[in-house]
């Protein structure tokens, strides 16, 4: 029997993800069935359920791995500035644009930026608000909501254009529209240190 650590299990999961995403792209999440994925992959339903509980679980688990990588761009300390972290994020989204077109069409779009701006811990709120010049928690909530909505709208518009502009162009647009050196994200960058997540050894294959 397959185990999660052997190559056969990993290869089967890669095939399920590949055909699953292709099927969702063709028919939408509601039209994609486990039976059709099994037929395309050459496995039985029991094998599918060793990896995923249903189509939504497949999409969510793939996105979780993707978000783990994006989160690392902002927490690892490898980039010199927050602008560099956003550039890495845009490059990653471009490489995986077909997945993100599917995911953002089918799912709550704000989920993507939660990897960048997790809900602020209660004990940090007063310090963050003071640094950003806000007088109340509500102001900080609105600041966070405003940036999340704007960023996801920017990404979605870019994907609808099939990532016609370069990641560098998107990073410049973001920089002009929102001065990140005065934002919540600069503060989180200073406090981050190493990533809270270990990098995934096994991510879905990146396109291109």
């Amino acid at each position: 029997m397959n185990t999660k650590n052997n190559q056969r299990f990993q290869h089967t999961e890669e095939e399920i993800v590949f055909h699953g995403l292709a099927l969702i792209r063709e028919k939408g999440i509601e039209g994609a069935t486990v039976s059709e994925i099994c037929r395309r992959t050459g496995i039985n339903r029991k094998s599918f359920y060793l990896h995923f509980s249903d189509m939504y679980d497949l999409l969510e688990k793939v996105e979780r791995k993707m978000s783990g990588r994006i989160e690392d761009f902002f927490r690892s300390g490898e980039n010199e500035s927050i602008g560099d972290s956003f550039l890495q994020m845009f490059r990653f989204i471009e490489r995986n644009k077909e997945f993100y077109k599917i995911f953002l069409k089918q799912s709550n779009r704000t989920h993507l930026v939660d990897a960048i701006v997790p809900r602020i811990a209660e004990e940090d709120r007063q310090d963050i608000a003071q640094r950003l010049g806000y007088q109340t928690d509500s102001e900080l909530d609105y600041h966070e909501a405003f940036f999340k909505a704007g960023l996801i709208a920017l990404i979605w518009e870019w994907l609808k254009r099939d990532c016609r502009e370069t990641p560098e162009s998107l990073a410049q647009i973001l920089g002009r529209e929102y001065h990140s050196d005065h934002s919540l994200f600069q503060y989180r960058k200073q406090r981050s240190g190493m990533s809270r997540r270990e990098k995934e050894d096994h991510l879905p294959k990146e396109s291109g």
Side-chain angles (χ1 to χ4, degrees), residues 170-185:
L170 266 290
Q172 290 173 3
I173 291 170
L174 182 63
R176 287 196 300 268
E177 295 298 323
Y178 193 94
H179 299 293
S180 60
D181 54 320
H182 298 302
S183 78
L184 160 67
F185 306 96

Side-chain angles (χ1 to χ4, degrees), residues 104-123:
L104 295 181
K105 185 176 181 179
Q106 303 293 337
S107 306
N108 180 356
R109 295 174 187 173
T110 60
H111 187 68
L112 172 62
V113 292
D114 287 340
I116 305 168
V117 196
R119 183 63 182 171
I120 301 167
E122 194 63 34
E123 60 269 22

